[in-house]
Amino acid sequence: MSTKAEQIIEQVRAGRVWRSVFRSGTGQSTLHRALAIQQNIFLHLFATKVRKRMVRFSATWYLGTLTFGTFLILVITGILLMLYYHPSVPQAYADMKDLQFVVSSGLFLRNLHRWSAQLMVFLVFAHMFKVFYRGAYRTPREFNWVIGIVLLLITLLLSYTGYLLPWDQLAYWAITVGSNLSSAVPLVGSKIHFLLLGGNQVNANALLRFYVLHCVILPLAAILFIAIHFWRIRKDGGLYVQQSDPRAQADVESEPDAKEVQ
Ligand code: HEM
């Protein structure tokens, strides 16, 4: 017998407003659950059926998911930091000090952003090594490996461009050394250096360029490639399961209709 609360939930779910958002309904049958996933803008990236073995902790150590988690923290804390930071030479360093000493919870916000950035770099490498160790980069997942390399580069570039923004001595000289390295690229080195800094020196132009790259261009590129990365996991038949592993076979036997839905 259902309780009063359950009856109210049922009424809400049967109502017009709920059905206008969740068209498939949210019944308990397998079909309803599959439709709910297929018709939801966020969930439709995932397969409607997966093998148990694919989603066990031991398969991936959830390293990709954790990388994505740090990315979300960075987006949220980054937007909050943008409310206090001006990308101009006289203001940038003062804004950092204000965050440290004046803004309530400013130091926490800044540190959360910095620590998450370092954690993301660590996790993206760990995720890549785990994928490599399991051999999950092989056919048909080679393209997703390439997308992964693009994501690795974007992660490193995000880290690098964020470095200049505090406009302190460490940032200034680190970017001077880093951007000078780009001049060493054969033939086009000096052009890359000029393009990156908006001139030949680390000055106001460079600060503005790094700000736009860090806050707009690179995050948008990351979101685009993460979406492709997730969509490809589904199109490649879900996460990789070692066929020689007897537990993979056991999964199929315990769930006869478990198949890799495209
Ligand atoms: C922003 C960076 C990245 C994010 C957010 C991300 C996210 C994910 C997620 C959530 C998964 C599902 C499995 C899991 O949780 O581990 C996954 C799988 C995968 N990732 Fe990444 N990833 C990133 C970077 C990379 C890099 C650098 C590589 C390799 C160069 C890579 C290659 C792959 C491959 C091949 C799979 C499929 C693995 C399988 O089938 O088991 N990813 N990624």
Side-chain angles (χ1 to χ4, degrees):
M1 195 167 144
S2 61
T3 63
K4 186 84 184 145
E6 281 169 343
Q7 280 173 5
I8 293 172
I9 291 171
E10 271 318 304
Q11 272 173 10
V12 171
R13 282 183 167 168
R16 210 171 145 190
V17 175
W18 184 275
R19 295 298 300 250
S20 72
V21 182
F22 303 101
R23 289 208 182 281
S24 59
T26 47
Q28 288 306 305
S29 73
T30 313
L31 177 66
H32 270 112
R33 288 198 305 240
L35 281 173
I37 289 178
Q38 257 175 21
Q39 297 188 3
N40 181 297
I41 186 163
F42 301 109
L43 296 181
H44 86 276
L45 280 170
F46 301 101
T48 50
K49 278 185 182 181
V50 292
R51 284 182 176 153
K52 271 188 199 162
R53 176 130 180 75
M54 281 180 189
V55 285
R56 275 189 200 136
F57 175 76
S58 56
T60 56
W61 294 353
Y62 301 153
L63 287 167
T65 312
L66 289 171
T67 314
F68 184 58
T70 50
F71 178 71
L72 288 183
I73 294 175
L74 283 162
V75 170
I76 295 166
T77 52
I79 290 172
L80 293 176
L81 284 172
M82 282 172 81
L83 299 177
Y84 298 99
Y85 176 84
H86 300 81
S88 72
V89 173
Q91 195 70 37
Y93 183 69
D95 287 346
M96 285 296 141
K97 289 290 140 192
D98 275 359
L99 272 165
Q100 213 168 331
F101 298 113
V102 182
V103 177
S104 24
S105 307
L107 186 61
F108 173 73
L109 187 63
R110 190 178 166 208
N111 281 344
L112 191 58
H113 195 73
R114 286 160 69 103
W115 282 97
S116 303
Q118 293 179 24
L119 191 61
M120 184 172 170
V121 172
F122 170 78
L123 284 171
V124 78
F125 274 110
H127 169 54
M128 187 172 85
F129 289 137
K130 178 75 177 155
V131 168
F132 183 76
Y133 177 74
R134 293 163 58 231
Y137 56 86
R138 287 176 301 198
T139 315
R141 295 177 178 81
E142 315 95 313
F143 182 67
N144 218 10
W145 175 265
V146 176
I147 296 291
I149 296 291
V150 175
L151 283 172
L152 175 71
L153 290 177
I154 293 176
T155 307
L156 295 179
L157 283 172
L158 273 166
S159 215
Y160 177 65
T161 49
Y163 211 79
L164 182 66
L165 304 187
W167 200 250
D168 53 10
Q169 284 292 313
L170 183 68
Y172 182 87
W173 292 109
I175 297 302
T176 305
V177 173
S179 56
N180 280 344
L181 288 176
S182 68
S183 318
V185 175
L187 302 175
V188 287
S190 60
K191 303 270 181 233
I192 297 177
H193 184 251
F194 192 89
L195 193 70
L196 202 59
L197 299 185
N200 290 313
Q201 283 172 347
V202 179
N203 57 22
N205 286 353
L207 181 59
L208 190 60
R209 285 205 176 191
F210 274 57
Y211 177 74
V212 175
L213 276 170
H214 187 74
C215 299
V216 184
I217 299 174
L218 291 170
L220 285 180
I223 290 168
L224 176 71
F225 281 96
I226 288 174
I228 299 175
H229 196 56
F230 289 177
W231 171 77
R232 268 320 284 218
I233 294 174
R234 178 177 166 175
K235 290 293 164 192
D236 292 340
L239 294 176
Y240 173 73
V241 185
Q242 249 174 330
Q243 292 310 313
S244 57
D245 188 330
R247 284 177 295 181
Q249 196 50 40
D251 272 353
V252 179
E253 277 158 16
S254 67
E255 297 170 70
D257 60 346
K259 57 180 180 180
E260 293 163 355
V261 180
Q262 301 285 305

